[in-house]
Amino acid sequence: SMALYPNITSSQTVLAFNNLTAQVCELSVIAVNGTVAINRQLQTVAGINQHRVDVSSLAKGIYLVMLNSGTDRLVQKLIVE
């Protein structure tokens, strides 16, 4: 599972998730209109991972935060205000 906190933010959020193995995952932040606002690679470790995501440059609105590990895809809603 994946968590974002704070989930309503104007500057940054922390993405927290548990990973079974160390690997490279793809992080995408997608606007509701389908525009990819952020797309980057994350190096993860086995166990609990926490990554800060700067959203201060994003327009206000609702976004989907997607984490893709190749075999799993986790999605969480984020509100930028």
Side-chain angles (χ1 to χ4, degrees):
S1 67
M2 175 174 75
L4 291 173
Y5 57 91
N7 192 303
I8 300 174
T9 186
S10 60
S11 59
Q12 66 179 348
T13 188
V14 175
L15 171 67
F17 58 96
N18 192 16
N19 215 6
L20 295 177
T21 61
Q23 62 185 355
V24 176
C25 294
E26 181 181 10
L27 169 69
S28 301
V29 179
I30 304 168
V32 291
N33 66 3
T35 304
V36 178
I38 297 172
N39 191 13
R40 69 178 192 213
Q41 303 292 313
L42 298 179
Q43 179 62 54
T44 66
V45 297
I48 297 172
N49 289 265
Q50 292 186 346
H51 294 274
R52 292 190 187 278
V53 182
D54 182 1
V55 297
S56 61
S57 63
L58 301 185
K60 293 179 182 180
I62 298 172
Y63 294 83
L64 295 177
V65 177
M66 184 181 305
L67 185 66
N68 188 349
S69 68
T71 57
D72 292 318
R73 181 178 290 172
L74 303 172
V75 180
Q76 184 82 29
K77 181 171 74 171
L78 173 68
I79 299 172
V80 176
E81 62 178 17

